[in-house]
Amino acid sequence: MSIIENEATLHEAHRDNHTHRDVNGGWLRPAVFGAMDGLVSNLALMTGVAGGDVTHRTIVITGLAGLAAGAFSMAAGEYTSVASQRELVEAELDVERRELRKHPMDEMQELAALYVSRGVEPDLAAAVAEQLSRDPEQALEIHAREELGIDPDDLPSPMVAAVSSFGAFALGALLPVLPYLLGAGTLWPALLLALVGLFGCGAVVARVTARSWWYSGLRQLTLGGAAAGITYALGALFGTALG
């Protein structure tokens, strides 16, 4: 009885701990990159302009323009990129679908050979391939997974990617502008809030990666801070030269 209970406990522990993150979804990558890009690019843009010793109004307009332009650009780019990728995958699936229809035996033998190459006995591989090939849609899914490395039922959505990217970029880009909109008269509150946001975004990203939260947060903080510092120096240099 204790053996059965132990086996059941082990099975439950394996089931509970053997779950995986969604690595194929169409929202995570554009959302993460959108937020990071919005923060870094708009912070760098605003610090570069501020380095040129311009008015408070100019900095605010620059930040809002950067937010709008960047969000639309990111959304359009993500939509085009994901749509093109999806169209390419669907074209390859059509090729595989035609091959399954025209040469079913060749495709079945190809699948059996693939299983043999992975260590399955030839007779068993042939039997498995024959059984799996009875349903054309199931055969297409298996060939797509084995040959193309894709899941036909889990293709990324261009609209999801575009909306995620737009919203995340706008949210990230808003942080450096927000203190100015609330009445701040200097760059420091905006810079501080943006740097905190950079660290927070990096820490959140660590939730879906193998890195620790503090490493990921500090890495993003360092990269974003360096970008802001360089553009501020360039803005000051250009402002002096043009002045």
Side-chain angles (χ1 to χ4, degrees), residues 20 28 97 123 136 145 149 158 177 182 188 192 194-195 197 207 226:
H20 297 282
L28 179 60
R97 190 178 286 110
D123 291 340
R145 288 178 183 272
V177 188
L182 296 177
W188 292 109
L192 179 61
L195 292 178
R207 300 280 296 179

Side-chain angles (χ1 to χ4, degrees), residues 12 57 107 231:
E12 291 178 2
R57 184 170 179 270
E107 290 293 317
T231 53

Side-chain angles (χ1 to χ4, degrees), residues 26-27 29-31 74-75 78-79 82 157-166:
W27 65 271
R29 183 183 63 85
M74 285 287 292
E78 282 294 334
Y79 184 90
V82 175
S157 166
M159 186 58 68
V160 170
V163 171
S164 300
S165 180
F166 182 94

Side-chain angles (χ1 to χ4, degrees), residues 4 9 58 62 85 92 107 121 124 137 140 162 169 221 238:
I4 296 176
T9 301
T58 300
T62 299
Q85 178 186 5
E92 291 300 315
E107 290 293 317
E121 293 293 332
L124 178 58
E137 288 303 316
L140 175 63
F169 186 99
L221 174 64
F238 295 151

Side-chain angles (χ1 to χ4, degrees), residues 4-133:
I4 296 176
E5 289 177 351
N6 288 339
E7 289 180 347
T9 301
L10 289 172
H11 173 72
E12 291 178 2
H14 179 296
R15 181 193 63 199
D16 294 339
N17 293 315
H18 197 70
T19 57
H20 297 282
R21 302 179 180 94
D22 177 16
V23 297
N24 293 320
W27 65 271
L28 179 60
R29 183 183 63 85
V32 169
F33 280 97
M36 295 294 190
D37 195 21
L39 257 171
V40 174
S41 64
N42 218 30
L43 174 62
L45 177 64
M46 292 175 63
T47 53
V49 172
D53 194 23
V54 298
T55 64
H56 171 277
R57 184 170 179 270
T58 300
I59 297 175
V60 174
I61 293 175
T62 299
L64 293 175
L67 185 157
F72 281 110
S73 176
M74 285 287 292
E78 282 294 334
Y79 184 90
T80 302
S81 173
V82 175
S84 300
Q85 178 186 5
R86 187 181 180 112
E87 290 164 0
L88 174 61
V89 169
E90 289 174 344
E92 291 300 315
L93 289 175
D94 287 339
V95 171
E96 192 64 34
R97 190 178 286 110
R98 287 195 299 270
E99 289 299 312
L100 285 168
R101 186 173 61 252
K102 294 179 179 179
H103 309 287
M105 292 302 298
D106 291 338
E107 290 293 317
M108 186 173 67
Q109 292 172 5
E110 184 179 284
L111 188 61
L114 178 63
Y115 291 146
V116 169
S117 70
R118 294 183 177 178
V120 180
E121 293 293 332
D123 291 340
L124 178 58
V128 171
E130 191 276 332
Q131 185 173 358
L132 293 176
S133 299

